[in-house]
Amino acid sequence: MTIGRLMVIDDERSDQMMHERIIRKTGLAAEVVTFTYAPDALGYLRGPEGAAVDAIFLDINMPRMTGIEFLEALRAEFGDRARPVIMILTTSMNPRDRRWAEGFPQVRGFVSKPLSAADLDAMARHVAGAG
C-alpha cells in the first residue's frame, strides 16, 4: 500500500526537510512534491501534474494563505470532488480549526509535527480506501 504522488505544504523549510527524509525512509510514497506557500501548491494542482496528486499533508498556520484558506480555495475551484486525501499537519491543535477543517470531505485527520512513519502509514491506508 503506497501513495503515488504526495504533496507537502509547509512554510517551514526545516520541517519540509524532516518530512521528506521520513517519507523517503518509509518508501510509502513514489513521489514527493513540496511547497512553502499554499498559493503555489494550488497553482500546481491546477496544472496537468496536479491531477496525479493522491495525498496532501497541509500545514494550517502559514503566511500568504493559511491551510484553512487553501481548503476553501480548493473547494471553490474543484468542489467537494477534489481527489487528494488531506491530513492537516500542525503544531497547533486549535479546536476551532479542527472543527472547521473536518467540514471538508478530503480531510481525514490531524497530525502533530513532526511527521512520523505511523502518520504516513495512516495516510497510505486512507489513500487506499482502508483508513
Side-chain angles (χ1 to χ4, degrees):
M1 179 168 37
T2 61
I3 302 163
R5 184 174 293 156
L6 174 64
M7 178 183 282
V8 178
I9 309 169
D10 192 326
D11 64 312
E12 292 293 330
R13 185 65 193 137
S14 59
D15 286 347
Q16 279 186 13
M17 290 169 43
M18 195 171 19
H19 302 326
E20 286 183 74
R21 193 173 320 123
I22 291 166
I23 292 165
R24 294 189 197 298
K25 185 177 177 182
T26 65
L28 288 172
E31 183 181 352
V32 180
V33 291
T34 60
F35 292 91
T36 303
Y37 300 110
D40 298 336
L42 194 57
Y44 181 89
L45 291 171
R46 288 182 187 119
E49 297 289 319
V53 173
D54 297 306
I56 300 173
F57 280 108
L58 174 65
D59 190 9
I60 284 284
N61 298 312
M62 296 181 289
R64 298 189 188 175
M65 176 185 273
T66 68
I68 297 295
E69 291 167 335
F70 174 84
L71 290 171
E72 289 172 339
L74 190 69
R75 175 182 276 167
E77 190 149 341
F78 299 100
D80 283 334
R81 63 175 173 64
R83 178 176 167 221
V85 171
I86 300 171
M87 292 184 81
I88 305 297
L89 181 62
T90 187
T91 55
S92 168
M93 290 301 190
N94 181 328
R96 188 183 70 190
D97 288 344
R98 179 182 287 266
R99 281 191 305 275
W100 202 94
E102 287 172 345
F104 292 86
Q106 299 89 348
V107 175
R108 303 295 168 78
F110 282 73
V111 175
S112 293
K113 290 182 184 181
L115 192 62
S116 70
D119 299 328
L120 285 161
D121 186 60
M123 178 65 93
R125 285 194 317 272
H126 283 300
V127 169

